[in-house]
């Protein structure tokens, strides 16, 4: 009988040094997404936190609407809206301490704003005046990342470096459901688990990678299940339940800070708008699906909880909306001013010291600009 | 003035010494990669570093090049100076997205707020009988990416000096190590290493008057040998070792070609779309009126790197270089 024929009966004896992990059960996510709002657990949440989450959600929704409008006016080249996903964005920003780092993807402008970044600076990339409109060190927000999942290993490296230096810093990295198919997702999770780096991965599963639905993206029972293979806990959470996302991320951040290593959190949510203004979502999803999710709106869920418990009244709601309007008006006014650009910036930050070749090109552009200015002067 | 005892040392030893000295001088320097710790690297370049500085500073990573470079980006963001090893030229390709989309442009996209002082060591080139994927000359890919410095030493002293400079640089440096020169010996004083060499300066390895051989890395010794052999033909060849492909030392190269009036670019990488085309164009633009002949290239063939038993036919050797020199329109000159 060959080895192939005795399959089933054949059990290789592992060499003594190799011991399989026997504790996969604690790593497995729950079968259903964790929820807080509308359950008894909601009563345990600090009312102050719920009110803060609410104010940020309302502001975030308004921010998404304003940025989308700016796109239609041609003020932004593109805007990937996070409408419907605000609970994830806001919770991601609020669970972090000042010393922690956030690693956003291109759709996570709102998380950066909720963390304190100037709304105009957050839109620089999308307006097109520079790639990153802020100093990442100021609020500890890495540049908005356009290639998928490539920011995840950065988060791991930063968290690892911080721990090597003895700093009590956690990195939180955001990625979409499509990004989990990328090789960098795998490598980042593997490095994080092997190094036990203090990093939290938040997958915002919004149902589609542009047009490709989750079922065509993965055969895993859930994206949170992917954690098990790396040896880290996976958590599944209702991504429209701001209190639940905040709780699960807080747990994960606490776990990481205490030296427990990384966690993979999958937030199940939905992108209410198209991928960007360049996308036609009607080609790949029906209105009824969108309406089902509209009934599960993150702001409505939280508003219902707060009003039911007498923690929010009409005045409170109006207050939140007014604050959001003030932010939107300010954003609109400042975005309607043309940015002042210096073409010589093209050469300023390629290297610490420009190469001789770049100096030659710099001189060429300077001469072109001078000639341009002169001919404009003559024309006048 | 004290006399320094020069001893023979290999390029690999000089590289190890450079890493050790850099780590000792600066606690933020971290060496990382596959097999760099306990094993000391497959070429033993990181030998002893884990023992001396601990596994936190000389780290065996999981086998994943994108992960190695991607985590190095995060480490550099937090103020460390990672030196990553890519083990072999063709093994670096999975890391290209990190290299091109992030490493090369992080300074630029953040307007200088987030420079990435990462050194990427890539053993490259052929001539060691390596099987497929172990002998590529990938320098053109790196040269074509703005934001990267690309350097390659050809001597033991340069291996030390340039690696120290690369690690000290606030910008990412792709440090190409000609693996067939790892065991080449040179008289060097390992007790008092030479000064750190600035990146971006070519050097005249051998002065000559008849023609200039412009070369770098593994082809430098070949060109020196060709220059010796050329004396029998009555040619006195100058050999310029570029050392740095980015930035490019136009000054040294052009000065040499203006003196000699003839030039041949020599490298292992394929000729089409290869570094030689760029170099020949730069030389022509600067020295046209001094040139007695077109700038010629002696390069590897435009083929995937061949199997080891055929590589000697692919690699530019002395004869092929001398043939090219012979085609430099000597008749027209006389």
């Amino acid at each position: 009988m060959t080895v192939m024929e005795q399959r089933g009966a054949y059990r290789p004896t592992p060499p003594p040094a190799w011991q399989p992990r026997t504790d996969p059960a604690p790593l497995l996510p729950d079968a259903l997404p964790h929820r807080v709002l509308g359950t008894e657990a909601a009563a345990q949440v600090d009312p102050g936190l719920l009110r803060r989450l609410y104010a940020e959600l309302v502001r975030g929704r308004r921010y998404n609407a304003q940025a989308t409008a700016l796109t239609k006016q041609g003020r932004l080249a593109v805007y990937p809206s996070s409408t419907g996903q605000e609970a994830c964005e806001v919770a991601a920003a609020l669970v972090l301490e000042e010393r922690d780092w956030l690693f956003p993807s291109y759709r996570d402008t709102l998380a950066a704003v909720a963390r304190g970044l100037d709304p105009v600076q957050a839109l620089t990339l999308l307006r097109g005046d520079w790639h990153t409109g802020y100093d990442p060190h100021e609020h500890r927000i890495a540049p908005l990342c356009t290639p998928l999942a490539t920011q995840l290993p950065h988060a791991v490296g930063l968290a690892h470096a911080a721990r090597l230096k003895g700093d009590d810093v956690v990195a939180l990295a955001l990625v979409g459901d499509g990004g989990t198919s990328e090789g960098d997702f795998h490598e980042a999770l593997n490095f994080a688990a092997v190094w036990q780096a203090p990093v939290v991965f938040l997958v915002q599963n919004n149902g589609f990678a542009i047009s490709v639905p989750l079922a065509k993206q993965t055969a895993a029972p859930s994206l949170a299940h992917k954690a098990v293979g790396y040896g880290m806990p996976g958590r599944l959470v209702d991504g429209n339940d701001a209190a639940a996302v905040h709780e699960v991320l807080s747990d994960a951040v606490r776990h990481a800070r205490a030296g427990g290593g990384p966690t993979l959190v999958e937030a199940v949510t939905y992108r209410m708008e198209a991928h960007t203004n360049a996308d036609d979502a009607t080609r790949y999803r029906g209105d009824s699906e969108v309406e089902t999710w509209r009934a599960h709106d993150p702001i409505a869920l939280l508003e219902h909880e707060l009003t039911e418990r007498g923690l929010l009244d009409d005045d409170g709601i109006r207050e939140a909306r007014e604050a959001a309007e003030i932010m939107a008006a300010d954003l609109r006014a400042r975005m309607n001013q043309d940015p002042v650009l210096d073409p010589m910036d093209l050469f300023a930050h390629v290297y610490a010291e420009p190469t001789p070749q770049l100096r030659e090109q710099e001189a060429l552009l300077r001469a072109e600009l001078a000639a341009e200015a002169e001919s404009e002067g003559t024309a006048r | 003035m004290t006399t320094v005892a020069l001893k023979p040392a290999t390029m690999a030893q000089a590289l190890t010494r450079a890493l050790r000295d850099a780590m000792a001088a600066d606690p933020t320097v971290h060496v990382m990669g596959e097999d760099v710790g306990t094993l000391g690297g497959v070429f033993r370049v990181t030998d002893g570093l884990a023992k001396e500085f601990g596994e936190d500073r000389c780290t065996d990573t999981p086998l994943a090049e994108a992960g190695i470079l991607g985590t190095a980006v995060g480490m550099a963001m937090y103020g460390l100076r990672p030196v990553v090893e890519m083990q072999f030229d063709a093994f670096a390709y999975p890391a290209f997205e990190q290299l091109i989309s992030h490493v090369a442009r992080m300074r630029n996209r953040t307007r200088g707020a987030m420079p990435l002082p990462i050194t990427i060591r890539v053993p490259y080139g052929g001539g060691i009988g390596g099987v497929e994927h172990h002998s590529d000359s990938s320098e053109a890919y790196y040269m074509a990416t703005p934001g990267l410095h690309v350097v390659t030493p050809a001597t033991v002293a340069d291996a030390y000096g340039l690696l120290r400079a690369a690690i000290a640089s606030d910008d990412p440096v792709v440090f190409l190590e000609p693996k067939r020169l790892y065991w080449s010996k040179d008289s060097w004083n390992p007790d008092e290493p030479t000064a750190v060499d600035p990146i971006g300066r070519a050097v005249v390895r051998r002065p000559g008057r008849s023609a200039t051989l412009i070369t770098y890395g593994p082809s430098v010794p070949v060109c020196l040998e060709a220059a010796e052999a050329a004396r029998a033909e009555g040619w006195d060849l100058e050999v310029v070792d570029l050392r740095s492909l980015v930035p490019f030392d136009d000054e040294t190269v052009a000065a040499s070609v203006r003196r000699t009036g003839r030039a041949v670019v020599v490298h292992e990488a394929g000729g089409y779309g290869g570094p030689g085309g760029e170099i020949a164009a730069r030389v022509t633009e600067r020295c046209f009126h001094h040139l007695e002949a077109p700038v010629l290239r002696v390069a590897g063939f435009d083929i995937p790197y061949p199997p080891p038993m055929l590589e000697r036919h692919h690699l530019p050797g002395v004869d092929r270089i001398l043939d090219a020199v012979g085609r430099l329109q000597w008749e027209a000159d006389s």
Side-chain angles (χ1 to χ4, degrees):
Chain A
M1 204 171 20
T2 67
V3 170
M4 289 308 288
E5 282 164 346
Q6 59 179 345
R7 215 176 226 213
Y10 177 72
R11 290 277 184 280
T13 310
W18 187 80
Q19 293 295 330
R21 285 189 68 151
T22 52
D23 58 345
L27 303 179
L28 273 170
D30 295 332
L32 290 174
H34 179 65
R35 290 194 65 182
V36 169
L37 297 178
T39 74
E40 283 172 15
Q44 308 302 315
V45 185
D46 170 26
L49 172 65
L50 289 179
R51 285 203 203 92
R52 176 140 189 244
L53 284 169
Y54 178 75
E56 285 293 337
L57 286 187
V58 171
R59 205 165 76 103
R61 175 67 51 89
R62 188 66 188 87
Y63 181 85
N64 273 323
Q66 186 57 60
T68 303
L70 287 165
T71 312
K72 287 175 183 154
Q73 293 156 18
R75 280 289 170 183
L76 290 179
V78 68
Y79 183 70
S81 168
S82 59
T83 297
Q85 301 178 218
E86 291 94 343
C88 302
E89 299 283 314
V90 163
L94 296 194
V95 294
L96 296 179
E97 301 286 341
E98 215 176 293
R99 62 186 177 282
D100 297 332
W101 274 77
L102 181 73
F103 286 79
S105 82
Y106 59 88
R107 197 181 297 286
D108 304 312
T109 337
L110 188 50
V113 171
R115 187 160 165 75
L117 184 63
D118 178 344
V120 171
Q121 288 185 343
L123 290 174
T124 304
L125 168 77
L126 303 165
R127 174 158 67 175
D129 45 315
W130 201 262
H131 309 304
T132 301
Y134 52 93
D135 179 344
H137 296 283
E138 196 184 338
H139 296 280
R140 280 153 299 277
I141 302 168
L144 295 169
C145 188
T146 309
L148 292 189
T150 51
Q151 77 278 23
L152 305 184
H154 305 170
V156 177
L158 183 135
H160 176 64
R163 202 170 57 141
L164 289 178
K165 281 192 172 184
D167 295 345
D168 185 21
V169 167
V170 173
L172 170 58
L174 307 178
V175 67
D177 43 303
T180 65
S181 298
E182 293 278 3
D184 279 45
F185 173 83
H186 159 66
E187 297 193 20
L189 266 69
N190 192 47
F191 271 70
V194 170
W195 285 351
Q196 287 291 286
V199 57
V200 177
F201 303 98
L202 172 62
V203 179
Q204 293 183 62
N205 170 9
N206 67 14
F208 296 90
I210 304 190
S211 70
V212 179
L214 189 71
K216 289 186 182 173
Q217 198 67 242
T218 182
S222 79
L223 296 172
H225 273 80
K226 289 175 183 269
V228 183
Y230 299 103
M232 72 173 79
R235 298 290 307 275
L236 193 57
V237 62
D238 182 337
N240 286 19
D241 180 337
V245 182
H246 190 276
E247 185 184 302
V248 168
L249 287 180
S250 295
D251 284 351
V253 166
R254 208 176 302 121
H255 184 70
R257 211 185 295 285
T263 303
L264 173 64
V265 178
E266 176 189 358
V268 182
T269 182
Y270 197 77
R271 157 163 56 78
M272 297 304 290
E273 307 285 337
H275 167 61
T276 67
N277 51 308
D279 168 40
D280 175 9
T282 62
R283 291 176 75 110
Y284 53 85
R285 67 188 190 187
D287 288 346
S288 65
E289 182 181 302
V290 180
E291 288 316 308
T292 310
W293 277 94
R294 206 180 296 284
H296 194 60
D297 182 85
I299 297 179
L301 288 180
L302 187 51
E303 200 173 281
H304 181 74
E305 180 81 37
L306 287 166
T307 48
E308 280 288 290
R309 288 169 53 194
L311 295 170
L312 185 72
D313 56 15
D314 287 350
D315 284 347
I317 294 173
R318 198 172 53 244
E319 224 170 83
R321 288 180 185 167
E322 278 169 8
E325 279 311 319
I326 291 169
M327 179 276 302
D330 174 63
L331 176 59
R332 206 163 47 233
R334 290 161 64 207
M335 289 296 288
N336 278 326
Q337 291 162 11
D338 291 326
V340 181
L341 304 177
D342 180 0
M344 299 320 289
D345 266 6
L346 291 175
F347 302 100
H349 308 294
V350 185
Y351 299 97
E353 287 293 323
T355 61
Q357 290 73 35
L358 280 180
R359 285 195 197 285
E360 284 174 17
Q361 294 163 26
E362 202 176 349
L364 170 69
L365 180 61
R366 190 171 285 122
E368 284 177 3
L369 290 170
E372 231 172 67
E374 200 179 324
S375 74
E376 273 170 21
T378 318
R380 270 185 220 117
Chain B
M1 200 172 119
T2 52
T3 336
V4 187
L6 293 178
K7 294 182 237 173
T10 66
M11 181 181 279
Q13 286 169 333
L15 292 168
T16 308
R17 178 61 194 261
L19 290 170
R20 205 178 105 208
D21 288 357
M23 291 175 88
D26 180 353
T28 66
V29 175
H30 283 242
V31 169
M32 55 196 284
E34 166 81 3
D35 300 312
V36 299
T38 310
L39 183 66
V42 294
F43 295 106
R44 304 293 180 270
V45 170
T46 57
D47 198 18
L49 299 178
K51 205 167 176 189
E52 187 172 347
F53 298 100
E55 289 180 13
D56 279 349
R57 291 194 57 203
C58 179
T59 309
D60 273 333
T61 64
L63 202 172
E65 287 76 13
I68 293 167
L69 191 51
T71 51
V73 169
M75 290 164 72
M77 282 178 168
Y78 205 78
L80 300 184
R81 248 169 222 280
V83 182
V84 309
E85 179 176 304
M86 285 294 160
Q87 200 158 93
F88 281 95
D89 33 59
F91 297 1
Y93 301 152
F96 261 44
E97 186 184 15
Q98 284 293 342
L99 185 74
I100 287 156
S101 293
H102 295 295
V103 174
R105 62 174 85 185
M106 192 65 84
R107 171 189 288 279
N108 183 255
R109 70 208 281 224
T110 60
R111 288 185 195 258
M114 196 168 250
L116 294 180
I118 302 175
T119 302
I120 301 147
R121 294 182 39 240
V122 187
Y124 84 120
I128 61 156
V131 295
E132 196 183 7
H133 303 301
H134 289 72
S135 301
D136 285 13
S137 292
S138 28
E139 57 268 33
Y141 303 135
Y142 302 113
M143 288 170 70
T145 305
L148 301 176
H149 288 300
V150 185
V151 303
T152 177
T155 68
V156 173
D158 273 6
Y160 180 89
L162 289 173
L163 185 53
R164 287 299 305 270
I167 297 170
S169 169
D170 286 333
D171 287 316
V173 180
V174 177
F175 192 84
L176 298 167
E177 299 174 4
K179 62 175 100 68
R180 77 166 125 139
L181 299 185
Y182 271 144
W183 305 281
S184 68
K185 286 195 177 177
D186 222 330
S187 287
W188 186 57
N189 173 20
D191 300 323
E192 265 178 56
T194 49
V196 172
D197 298 290
I199 289 175
R201 304 253 179 92
V203 63
V204 176
R205 283 280 167 227
R206 180 195 194 281
R209 293 186 316 272
S210 315
T212 303
L213 300 180
I214 305 165
T215 189
Y216 57 86
S219 296
V220 171
V222 185
C223 285
L224 290 171
E225 202 187 326
E228 279 308 304
R231 288 165 56 175
E233 308 284 335
W235 294 317
D236 179 21
L237 302 183
E238 181 149 306
V239 177
V240 173
D241 174 2
L242 295 173
R243 305 201 290 185
S244 166
L245 297 171
V246 181
F248 188 84
D249 187 352
D250 285 304
E251 225 169 282
T252 301
V253 173
S256 171
V257 178
R258 282 182 196 134
R259 274 196 302 274
T260 63
R262 292 178 170 85
V264 178
V265 189
V266 181
H267 59 61
E268 279 185 35
Y272 188 82
E278 173 64 31
I279 296 165
R282 303 190 77 83
V283 169
T284 307
E285 284 167 0
R286 281 160 185 78
C287 313
F288 185 73
H289 295 293
H290 296 80
L291 284 172
E292 306 287 342
V295 180
L296 298 183
R297 287 171 291 166
V298 176
F301 295 132
D302 296 323
I303 56 173
Y305 196 87
M309 293 175 83
L310 292 172
E311 69 179 342
R312 69 185 180 87
H313 301 293
H314 166 75
L315 294 172
V318 170
D319 289 348
R320 206 172 283 162
I321 295 167
L322 292 179
D323 281 352
V325 173
R327 292 201 306 276
L328 289 173
Q329 300 182 4
W330 299 101
E331 300 84 354
D333 190 41
S334 53

